[in-house]
Amino acid sequence: FQIHYAGVADSSVQFIFYQPIIHRWRETDFFPCSASCGGGYQLTSAECFDLRSNRVVADQYCHYYPENIKPKPKLQECNLDPCPASDGYKQIMPYDLYHPLPRWESTPWTACSSSCGGGIQSRSISCVEEDIQGHISPVEEWKCMYTPKMPVVQPCNLFDCPKWLAQEWSPCTVTCGQGLRYRVVLCIDHRGMHTGGCSTKTKPHIKEECVVPTPCYKPKEKLPVEAKVPWYKQAQELEEGTAVSEEPSFIPEAWSTCSVTCGVGSQMRLVKCQVLLSFSQSVADLPIDECEGPKPVSQRACYSGPCTGEAAEHSPEETRLLYGSLQELDELYDWEYEGFTECSESCGGGVQEAVVTCLNKQTREIADEALCVSSRRPPQLLKACSLDPCPPR
């Protein structure tokens, strides 16, 4: 090569040389017929041929050149003459005990990679043949290349994922000033059915503040007076009432009557986990663990007045019983062991009995046993004592 620089001195010239193709695919002759008579089949294949050495080499050498296209195998029928010596049945060649054509066989599709929104699933494909005994065995893929190979990957679950659907807002809860409004939010699948599976992180809010532009005017009232204790207790009970909402919540029922007619007793009530189904306007019971937050108490102490039948001023302890809950009593009073009684015998073996008293946990003072009514009384404990033998008389 002679190079003449027409530009500046540091110009460069690049030469690219292509390596000549020395390996090419070559179509083979037809393989022997699968049957000697009565009709069979035979196939061709392709082999990689070295042009310099004139010999067949491994297929990988022909894959180096993209322009090398491997020829597809050909299939043709052969030996179609009937077989008179075997009553019309064709004689199977000993080197190929096969009657039907080789075929593609697939494994079941794998599970979809996504439950919605589009995923993929795969399977394995292999070329198999079946002998005259019905045994199926894998063979080289070229024997099945006369038919297209089945796909090994396909899309699946192309439908949309469930998503939140928010309905219209309800009217404001007030007719003037600031209030609240609510709406129903449902998880809807691609068929429009109410379902689960929506992310709680993306759920639209179901409650928000609202303002009615109409100003609120309150008539002038008398000065407020302090509510008496019974009325205050009634107001507390009304305040405890919880309405069923669209979110699962604990709904306590009314308290039962006091277990005693006088003195300190207990009251029971049933606490359920419920939710309001807006689309059917019905209330459904749910498992307890579906509701969040602390569960309201289902038992508390009650005081029905002194058992003497005479009116009396409530002591501070009776007032606590009258207006406190069972949980508060549990925090303040409990049964405790205070030691043992004297031995029933001075010698020869006796017993001592454990003394159980109701104590105020804060002051450690002995209290009336009625104040520990909500706690389970400890079991009676006995122990042996004075085990020395008595002296002879």
Side-chain angles (χ1 to χ4, degrees):
F1 296 94
Q2 183 179 7
I3 302 173
H4 172 67
Y5 289 97
V8 294
D10 59 351
S11 298
S12 62
V13 177
Q14 181 181 10
F15 296 94
I16 300 177
F17 298 92
Y18 292 92
Q19 182 178 0
I21 296 177
I22 58 177
H23 299 99
R24 286 190 181 276
W25 290 108
R26 185 175 68 175
E27 188 175 23
T28 66
D29 295 332
F30 280 98
F31 288 94
C33 191
S34 61
S36 60
C37 60
Y41 73 93
Q42 55 187 169
L43 291 165
T44 64
S45 183
E47 56 190 10
C48 188
F49 189 73
D50 190 320
L51 300 177
R52 295 176 302 179
S53 62
N54 290 326
R55 61 187 180 90
V56 178
V57 295
D59 288 357
Q60 63 185 15
Y61 291 100
C62 288
H63 293 310
Y64 294 150
Y65 309 100
E67 56 270 26
N68 268 353
I69 299 176
K70 187 176 182 179
K72 294 183 178 180
K74 297 177 182 178
L75 172 72
Q76 71 178 14
E77 294 179 321
C78 54
N79 294 342
L80 301 179
D81 297 332
C83 304
S86 58
D87 299 329
Y89 291 97
K90 60 184 176 181
Q91 179 183 358
I92 303 299
M93 298 295 286
Y95 59 83
D96 191 1
L97 300 178
Y98 182 79
H99 175 59
L101 288 175
R103 66 181 184 272
W104 295 112
E105 196 167 79
S106 64
T107 60
W109 289 106
T110 60
C112 194
S113 61
S114 178
S115 61
C116 60
I120 58 172
Q121 54 185 169
S122 60
R123 62 179 177 180
S124 299
I125 304 295
S126 59
C127 182
V128 299
E129 64 181 4
E130 184 177 351
D131 60 21
I132 55 176
Q133 285 81 26
H135 299 148
I136 298 176
S137 57
V139 294
E140 299 88 348
E141 285 198 353
W142 63 264
K143 289 190 177 183
C144 292
M145 292 303 291
Y146 65 93
T147 58
K149 189 176 182 179
M150 296 181 290
V152 296
V153 178
Q154 73 174 7
C156 53
N157 293 345
L158 301 178
F159 52 84
D160 294 334
C161 293
K163 55 186 177 181
W164 295 109
L165 177 63
Q167 299 184 3
E168 295 293 330
W169 286 103
S170 68
C172 199
T173 56
V174 297
T175 57
C176 64
Q178 186 172 359
L180 296 173
R181 62 176 184 173
Y182 299 85
R183 64 178 175 182
V184 177
V185 177
L186 301 175
C187 184
I188 303 298
D189 62 13
H190 65 285
R191 298 167 298 178
M193 303 295 292
H194 186 206
T195 183
C198 296
S199 173
T200 56
K201 296 181 180 179
T202 60
K203 183 179 181 180
H205 59 281
I206 63 173
K207 178 180 67 173
E208 70 176 11
E209 294 182 351
C210 55
V211 177
V212 178
T214 305
C216 298
Y217 296 99
K218 291 187 177 180
K220 189 174 182 180
E221 299 176 351
K222 297 180 180 179
L223 292 175
V225 294
E226 184 178 356
K228 299 299 180 181
V229 175
W231 297 107
Y232 173 68
K233 179 60 180 174
Q234 183 181 7
Q236 274 190 327
E237 292 180 351
L238 290 175
E239 191 174 312
E240 289 178 359
T242 306
V244 184
S245 66
E246 297 165 6
E247 292 291 334
S249 55
F250 288 112
I251 305 298
E253 296 185 354
W255 288 103
S256 65
T257 56
C258 195
S259 61
V260 296
T261 56
C262 66
V264 178
S266 63
Q267 287 178 290
M268 308 289 291
R269 67 176 176 181
L270 187 63
V271 179
K272 296 181 178 180
C273 178
Q274 295 181 325
V275 66
L276 175 63
L277 304 178
S278 301
F279 52 91
S280 62
Q281 289 300 309
S282 60
V283 176
D285 294 336
L286 301 176
I288 291 298
D289 55 4
E290 291 291 333
C291 287
E292 298 180 354
K295 180 184 178 183
V297 295
S298 57
Q299 184 180 7
R300 71 178 181 184
C302 56
Y303 181 72
S304 302
C307 293
T308 59
E310 299 176 357
E313 292 293 331
H314 296 307
S315 66
E317 297 297 340
E318 291 171 339
T319 302
R320 177 179 293 275
L321 283 174
L322 182 55
Y323 306 118
S325 66
L326 183 63
Q327 183 178 2
E328 294 173 343
L329 292 178
D330 288 341
E331 295 175 355
L332 191 59
Y333 299 99
D334 198 4
W335 297 102
E336 289 193 19
Y337 290 108
E338 286 295 308
F340 287 86
T341 61
E342 295 183 0
C343 191
S344 60
E345 301 291 341
S346 60
C347 61
V351 294
Q352 288 178 290
E353 182 180 354
V355 179
V356 180
T357 57
C358 182
L359 288 184
N360 187 310
K361 295 180 181 179
Q362 296 179 355
T363 63
R364 308 301 299 173
E365 296 179 353
I366 298 177
D368 191 338
E369 291 189 357
L371 298 175
C372 291
V373 68
S374 61
S375 302
R376 179 176 295 179
R377 191 182 185 95
Q380 183 182 19
L381 298 180
L382 300 175
K383 72 176 182 176
C385 57
S386 301
L387 301 179
D388 298 331
C390 296
R393 295 181 180 178

